[in-house]
Amino acid sequence: MSHSSSYGIAWPKNSPVAVSLTFDVDAEAGFLGDSPTFAKRLTSLSEGRFSVTRGVPRILEMLARHQIKASFFVPGYTAQQHPGLIETLLKDGHEVGHHGHMHLRSDKASAQQQVDEMHLGLEALARAGAPKPAGYRSSSWELTPETFDLVIDNGFTYDSSCMGDDRPYVETFNGRSIIELPVHWSLDDWPMFGWSIDNGGNFTHPRTLSEVWLAEYESARRDGRHTSFTMHPEVIGRAARFAQLERFVERLVSDGDVWFARLDEVARHVAPHLEQQR
Ligand SMILES: [Zn+2]
């Protein structure tokens, strides 16, 4: 893959920095897509379910309080299992993006499974009342050539799975390209807090999140960059961690000049600037 950078983009309202809060509502699909054996592991499934029962409501309350619109990437299976979820997200003005169907990692899925992930995910979101999604985010951020083609063939405006720059750029593979709103593991709650009985993980002190992310925010502000943060409601929605997210968001809000934007808004804004690079 190759890319070109997007320096010198001015943000709406003369904001010196653009920030997107993004949430991947993996829920039960996060486990079932990893292994069908989780169908018999009720405790793990309940940990996934916490995403929707407790995590999402906490997040929506906080976003509404600060009048921030965010991007939610929802596997089709999550939309099916939790009727009303998509409707609630849309009612509050948030973006619903594509995040597969069973949350299968594309690098571990066959070509046909990748096609199914794309189409079943699209169908489930549509059935739940979502407009055709503008954005795609691959499960666990693994993107294969086959899925890259599917994202372009299905007319997505942007992808948010790659890490080739720290600002919006054009991701290119085999002569085809798409606007990339990049991600990074350091800007994701999972590596800090994710833990499983099978593979272990980390129980980082919650304050680490606000410290690391504030450092990223300050650097984005200095550069005049867009940056985005990725969270999982079952991870960030635990109360002590959520308190640190609230502290982080309150700090940004207090600066008074941050452009908080959904990723589809960012993609629309940067598209004319990036067009010449495609
Ligand atoms: Zn995910």
Side-chain angles (χ1 to χ4, degrees):
M1 291 194 174
S2 63
H3 77 277
S4 352
S5 297
S6 63
Y7 290 84
I9 292 176
W11 304 112
K13 306 177 207 164
N14 285 326
S15 295
V17 59
V19 173
S20 298
L21 302 180
T22 75
F23 301 91
D24 298 354
V25 194
D26 297 352
E28 293 95 330
F31 290 96
L32 293 168
D34 185 38
S35 165
T37 60
F38 279 108
K40 290 183 135 191
R41 295 176 64 174
L42 300 186
T43 303
S44 295
L45 292 178
S46 73
E47 186 185 8
R49 195 172 69 236
F50 180 96
S51 171
V52 178
T53 55
R54 184 60 59 217
V56 167
R58 281 197 169 122
I59 291 161
L60 290 180
E61 188 280 323
M62 192 245 333
L63 294 173
R65 189 162 11 104
H66 294 299
Q67 297 179 302
I68 293 171
K69 306 300 180 203
S71 298
F72 289 77
F73 292 89
V74 184
Y77 184 80
T78 300
Q80 281 176 7
Q81 287 296 108
H82 300 280
L85 169 68
I86 299 295
E87 199 180 350
T88 305
L89 298 175
L90 294 171
K91 182 169 59 62
D92 280 11
H94 302 300
E95 172 188 12
V96 173
H98 194 297
H99 195 43
H101 184 63
M102 286 309 304
H103 203 264
L104 298 187
R105 267 176 58 173
S106 59
D107 62 313
K108 293 185 173 181
S110 68
Q112 184 57 47
Q113 282 176 315
Q114 294 177 62
V115 170
D116 292 345
E117 280 288 287
M118 174 59 68
H119 292 150
L120 294 174
L122 283 170
E123 282 167 26
L125 293 183
R127 261 200 310 276
K132 186 174 183 301
Y136 176 81
R137 173 172 284 170
S138 57
S139 303
S140 307
W141 291 341
E142 284 295 348
L143 198 55
T144 57
E146 292 86 358
T147 292
F148 189 79
D149 276 341
L150 284 166
V151 172
I152 291 173
D153 291 342
N154 282 279
F156 286 89
T157 306
Y158 73 90
D159 175 70
S160 182
S161 316
C162 293
M163 309 187 187
D165 203 335
D166 57 8
R167 61 210 72 206
Y169 71 99
V170 175
E171 186 64 81
T172 305
F173 182 75
N174 255 353
R176 309 184 79 187
S177 64
I178 192 165
I179 292 173
E180 181 65 44
L181 302 178
V183 293
H184 193 257
W185 296 113
S186 63
L187 309 176
D188 181 339
D189 60 359
W190 191 267
M192 278 187 246
F193 304 124
W195 189 91
S196 81
I197 194 163
D198 301 318
N199 303 312
N202 294 304
F203 284 128
T204 309
H205 193 290
R207 89 168 73 82
T208 305
L209 178 129
S210 51
E211 286 173 2
V212 172
W213 289 8
L214 267 177
E216 164 68 12
Y217 164 71
E218 296 290 359
S219 74
R221 206 180 160 89
R222 276 195 302 278
D223 294 345
R225 264 191 293 130
H226 166 255
T227 191
S228 67
F229 299 92
T230 298
M231 289 158 274
H232 302 77
E234 62 269 48
V235 174
I236 198 69
R238 309 298 313 188
R241 298 169 185 162
F242 198 72
Q244 290 297 321
L245 175 65
E246 290 198 288
R247 168 180 290 207
F248 170 69
V249 170
E250 279 162 18
R251 166 58 216 290
L252 270 57
V253 167
S254 74
D255 279 349
D257 55 5
V258 176
W259 186 47
F260 285 101
R262 303 164 15 157
L263 289 181
D264 59 340
E265 295 175 303
V266 176
R268 267 202 306 276
H269 183 76
V270 301
H273 302 274
L274 294 180
E275 204 49 51
Q276 62 224 31
Q277 300 172 14
R278 298 182 75 173

